[in-house]
Amino acid sequence: MAEAALSSVAKPAAQSEIREKVLRRFELGDQAFHVLTKSSAIAVLILLGGVILSLVQGSLPALSKFGFGFLTSDAWNPVTENFGAAPAVYGTLVTSIIALAIAVPIGFGIAIFLTELCPYKLRRPIGIAVELLAGIPSIIYGIWGMFIFAPFLQATVQPALIGAFADVPLLNQLFAGPPYGIGILTASIILAIMILPLISSISRDVFDTVPPVLKEAAYGVGCTRWEVMRSIVAPYTGIGLVGGVMLALGRALGETMAVTFVIGNAHKIHASILGPGTTISATIANEFTEATGDIYTSSLIALGLLLFVITFVVLAISRLLLMRIEGKGAR
Amino acid sequence: MSKLLRSALVVAVVSAATSALAADISGAGATFPYPIYSKWADTYKKDTGIGLNYQSIGSGGGIKQIEARTVTFGASDAPLKPDVLEKNGLVQWPMVMGGIVPVVNIEGVKPGQLAIDGPTLAKVFLGQITKWNDPALAKLNPNAKLPNTAIAVVHRSDGSGTTFNYTNYLVKVSPEWASKVGSAVSVEWPVGLGAKGNEGVANTVGITKNSIGYVEYAYAMENKMTYMDMVNKDGKRVAPKTETFQSAAANADWAHAPGFYQILTEQPGAKSWPITASTFILMPKKVPDAAAAATALKFFDWAFAHGAKQAEALDYIPMPANVVTLIKKTWASDIKDASGKPVYEPK
């Protein structure tokens, strides 16, 4: 070592040459790394393009036969080969929206409790329990939903809902019909339970990123807990919260097994959310294996393409939301 | 999407298995006969050392795979029409039978207490009869106390041979069903809840009060469900059991059905159960691998000769002897290797 140091002091010219060599070697490594990462990123794009292409190609026979009517028609008749996506799209959107409406407030509530109010001793066990909920396979949720949750809803909650709103206009349409136990509402609640841990653990993590000094300052000037959450923590973590909700929405839109068990699988749009319905992914899962005939198979692939588009639109909207929030934050 | 992946995987597994385990018979298709095929395969393996690799991926999948010739035989609960058989160069024959029974969940009603006839059943599934105490049902069951509650209709949500046979029956007994809905492995159901698989329908009827559904006889027995008696073509009330299923098969005119295209619904006979179904085996006329085809046929021959007891124990119904004779004739005359020689000649 010392010898090397001495020699380098002795020969400054040689040293700069070595330095250049080393730098060039680094540059080469850098370039290789650059190419490697860039090609990985491009591979994703190519893969995505391939998926879109094959979805479009697969759905062409159906789309060219039904045209725009595929979106608006509520027919699903394998005998006459007449198909429409409206009930499946409706079911997908409605179950996801109801699931979010239930899971978002509860998820945020859990996260706020865990970060702000919960005694230290309880934080870890409750946090782990919430994350364990996320680890349960969806088929288990489906089986549980069908055997335990749906009969419970049928016996208690649904008759109560029907009875309570029987005389309220509009709401009596929303909660009408015989209490089957399974249906749109049951599927939505199961979905809500499934996405709850996603929302709560992501929001808990982002709440933890708020610098304590901000909160302490707010408490110092006499803010209440509610005011601190609303005016300090929520604005600071807005982006993360929206991200968590969107991730949850993505899962709700694509969830298959659990929904198939409890939604009733009927290609119909009912005014009542107690009625049976279907979703895009449930329809594909149910019917793909036995779909004979080109138009039938193609219609199912077209449904897949629609789900892809819906997910893409949702992601785009969330991007827009994030950009607006970021813009606000900068101002 | 996971189903998509799975069927891709199944294709991969099946094609890998055919090359790796040359001695084993490979087949794919209907889920309904899976329990008996695996039971037969188990015994056959003990006797001969030759195994059966049967993938129960559904009738549609079975048809697709035999059309692609990725398996030695395909299996389907719905027979292919003679012209489709011809187009794809396939031979088919019925292997074993079962019954489809209407099941209900009404408080206080026991198995076999209620009866229903075809036209009334069609009206219930069309959503035209909506209450259990409807006059049409009351007339069929003068001694039963029927509740004044809405009927919850349960049907299959997945494509299924059971649905094919059930809707085939409804088409035969109800002109309105024929014109409005029709018959296929899955149809546009006018009303009701969809449940996946026989077990799904059984469970949904089990947990939904005042519901009606249809399942394979074996599932109704296994789950101790409340089945209904039915009024058959001859106007007689019959209960679902081996005797009434076999009567339907024996009275069917197999000899004059080209390609064994015979659906066992609404068959004549005072004792015939109206919704009986057979499940079919499909094989190529010109087999790509003569040795594999001969092995498979030898297995089916063995199953016809020795498999009846096991079939009955699992609530399946063996084919009547006269039909088996016809089937064996078909093997000798129709299934040939590349040089045009029959691959297997049963004794």
Side-chain angles (χ1 to χ4, degrees):
Chain A
M1 275 293 250
E3 216 172 302
L6 268 178
S7 68
S8 70
V9 169
K11 295 176 201 155
Q15 188 212 22
S16 77
E17 209 169 278
I18 292 171
R19 195 181 136 85
E20 221 160 83
K21 239 186 217 165
V22 169
L23 274 180
R24 219 174 304 140
R25 210 170 57 219
F26 282 173
E27 202 177 331
L28 219 76
D30 255 4
Q31 261 171 0
F33 189 63
H34 181 80
V35 169
L36 200 76
T37 49
K38 193 174 171 184
S39 51
S40 317
I42 290 174
V44 170
L45 281 184
I46 293 173
L47 204 65
L48 195 67
V51 170
I52 295 174
L53 218 76
S54 50
L55 275 178
V56 169
Q57 195 202 15
S59 50
L60 266 184
L63 292 181
S64 61
K65 185 175 173 195
F66 302 117
F68 189 71
F70 184 71
L71 270 179
T72 52
S73 157
D74 69 343
W76 193 265
N77 193 334
V79 180
T80 58
E81 298 223 308
N82 183 18
F83 300 101
V89 172
Y90 170 83
T92 306
L93 293 178
V94 168
T95 49
S96 301
I97 290 167
I98 299 177
L100 274 191
I102 298 171
V104 166
I106 300 179
F108 284 176
I110 293 173
I112 292 171
F113 178 74
L114 282 180
T115 50
E116 301 296 325
L117 307 168
C118 182
Y120 266 101
K121 270 190 184 162
L122 277 178
R123 268 187 202 188
R124 268 183 70 83
I126 294 181
I128 290 173
V130 167
E131 267 149 34
L132 271 181
L133 270 184
I136 298 176
S138 58
I139 185 98
I140 305 291
Y141 278 109
I143 292 172
W144 175 77
M146 179 159 185
F147 284 110
I148 294 157
F149 196 58
F152 166 74
L153 285 181
Q154 184 193 27
T156 58
V157 179
Q158 293 189 349
L161 280 175
I162 295 168
F165 296 118
D167 300 324
V168 188
L170 219 71
L171 282 182
N172 61 1
Q173 296 293 310
L174 206 57
F175 298 101
Y180 287 131
I182 55 185
I184 295 264
L185 183 67
T186 312
S188 307
I189 298 174
I190 296 280
L191 276 180
I193 298 171
M194 292 178 71
I195 62 177
L196 187 63
L198 265 177
I199 296 178
S200 66
S201 71
I202 290 175
S203 23
R204 188 189 54 160
D205 287 350
V206 295
F207 285 159
D208 273 339
T209 63
V210 178
V213 62
L214 281 183
K215 289 191 278 183
E216 281 157 16
Y219 284 125
V221 296
C223 286
T224 61
R225 279 219 159 96
W226 165 245
E227 284 166 341
V228 170
M229 282 318 296
R230 209 182 70 97
S231 311
I232 309 294
V233 177
Y236 190 89
T237 54
I239 298 170
L241 294 183
V242 172
V245 170
M246 287 301 152
L247 212 62
L249 181 57
R251 168 138 200 212
L253 285 171
E255 176 49 40
T256 309
M257 280 328 290
V259 171
T260 309
F261 271 74
V262 294
I263 199 166
N265 300 301
H267 290 280
K268 291 270 180 298
I269 297 178
H270 290 98
S272 167
I273 56 170
L274 300 184
T278 190
T279 67
I280 291 176
S281 41
T283 303
I284 296 173
N286 265 320
E287 301 182 27
F288 201 82
T289 42
E290 292 277 344
T292 41
D294 293 341
I295 294 293
Y296 194 178
T297 315
S298 170
S299 298
L300 287 170
I301 297 174
L303 276 186
L305 180 67
L306 267 180
L307 185 60
F308 193 92
V309 172
I310 291 172
T311 316
F312 185 81
V313 169
V314 164
L315 280 178
I317 292 173
S318 73
R319 278 275 126 205
L320 275 176
L321 265 176
L322 288 181
M323 265 153 61
R324 278 185 59 187
I325 291 170
E326 275 171 351
K328 258 188 205 158
R331 236 179 288 142
Chain B
M1 264 341 204
S2 69
K3 263 271 161 80
L4 240 172
L5 248 175
R6 205 162 72 193
S7 31
L9 259 178
V10 165
V11 174
V13 167
V14 168
S15 39
T18 41
S19 53
L21 307 159
D24 277 3
I25 307 159
S26 77
T31 49
F32 154 62
Y34 175 68
I36 183 61
Y37 289 174
S38 50
K39 181 92 199 157
W40 281 341
D42 203 37
T43 316
Y44 192 64
K45 174 133 195 168
K46 272 179 207 144
D47 287 4
T48 62
I50 294 164
L52 168 69
N53 176 21
Y54 183 74
Q55 307 286 335
S56 62
I57 54 172
S59 303
I63 293 168
K64 276 178 200 154
Q65 294 219 352
I66 192 63
E67 278 173 4
R69 306 288 194 265
T70 48
V71 285
T72 308
F73 72 89
S76 168
D77 289 341
L80 294 183
K81 290 213 169 84
D83 58 314
V84 181
L85 281 178
E86 197 56 47
K87 199 182 85 197
N88 290 300
L90 293 173
V91 184
Q92 80 184 349
W93 67 87
M95 194 66 217
V96 67
M97 298 181 295
I100 296 164
V101 296
V103 287
V104 295
N105 174 358
I106 309 170
E107 220 166 290
V109 171
K110 293 190 183 66
Q113 255 182 5
L114 294 183
I116 196 164
D117 62 9
T120 313
L121 193 60
K123 277 190 184 139
V124 169
F125 274 77
L126 279 166
Q128 290 166 350
I129 291 177
T130 56
K131 289 266 172 92
W132 277 112
N133 60 353
D134 190 277
L137 282 160
K139 202 176 147 210
L140 286 160
N141 301 285
N143 301 323
K145 211 178 150 280
L146 291 159
N148 179 22
T149 49
I151 302 176
V153 171
V154 183
H155 54 75
R156 291 283 289 268
S157 63
D158 49 337
S160 148
T162 312
T163 299
F164 170 83
N165 286 296
Y166 185 70
T167 51
N168 176 276
Y169 170 69
L170 293 181
V171 162
K172 282 182 184 168
V173 294
S174 159
E176 207 178 345
W177 184 275
S179 65
K180 278 192 179 158
V181 186
S183 165
V185 290
S186 56
V187 298
E188 183 169 18
W189 296 98
V191 289
L193 306 168
K196 198 165 158 46
N198 271 305
E199 57 287 1
V201 172
N203 292 331
T204 308
V205 170
I207 64 165
T208 312
K209 290 202 181 84
N210 303 306
S211 59
I212 183 169
Y214 60 94
V215 294
E216 290 285 351
Y217 175 67
Y219 284 89
M221 291 297 110
E222 245 168 61
N223 298 307
K224 302 192 170 53
M225 305 195 69
T226 307
Y227 59 80
M228 288 175 117
D229 283 355
M230 291 199 70
V231 178
N232 65 15
K233 197 178 184 184
D234 289 17
K236 298 275 187 329
R237 178 172 170 162
V238 284
K241 52 187 177 194
T242 308
E243 195 190 350
T244 56
F245 298 147
Q246 226 156 13
S247 163
N251 284 309
D253 186 11
W254 290 101
H256 297 97
F260 290 103
Y261 186 80
Q262 181 69 267
I263 299 160
L264 295 178
T265 55
E266 195 68 345
Q267 294 294 339
K271 281 185 177 169
S272 297
W273 179 253
I275 328 178
T276 308
S278 37
T279 180
F280 293 80
I281 298 286
L282 294 158
M283 274 179 79
K285 274 186 173 163
K286 212 172 122 186
V287 297
D289 180 347
T295 316
L297 287 173
K298 212 186 264 174
F299 167 70
F300 294 133
D301 199 2
W302 173 90
F304 278 137
H306 307 281
K309 266 223 174 72
Q310 288 181 340
E312 277 169 1
L314 288 174
D315 292 315
Y316 292 90
I317 320 300
M319 298 308 296
N322 58 336
V323 184
V324 173
T325 315
L326 281 174
I327 293 168
K328 287 187 182 174
K329 258 188 214 151
T330 309
W331 291 349
S333 63
D334 286 2
I335 303 178
K336 294 181 175 155
D337 62 11
S339 64
K341 259 191 5 211
V343 294
Y344 176 72
E345 301 210 44
K347 280 156 257 161

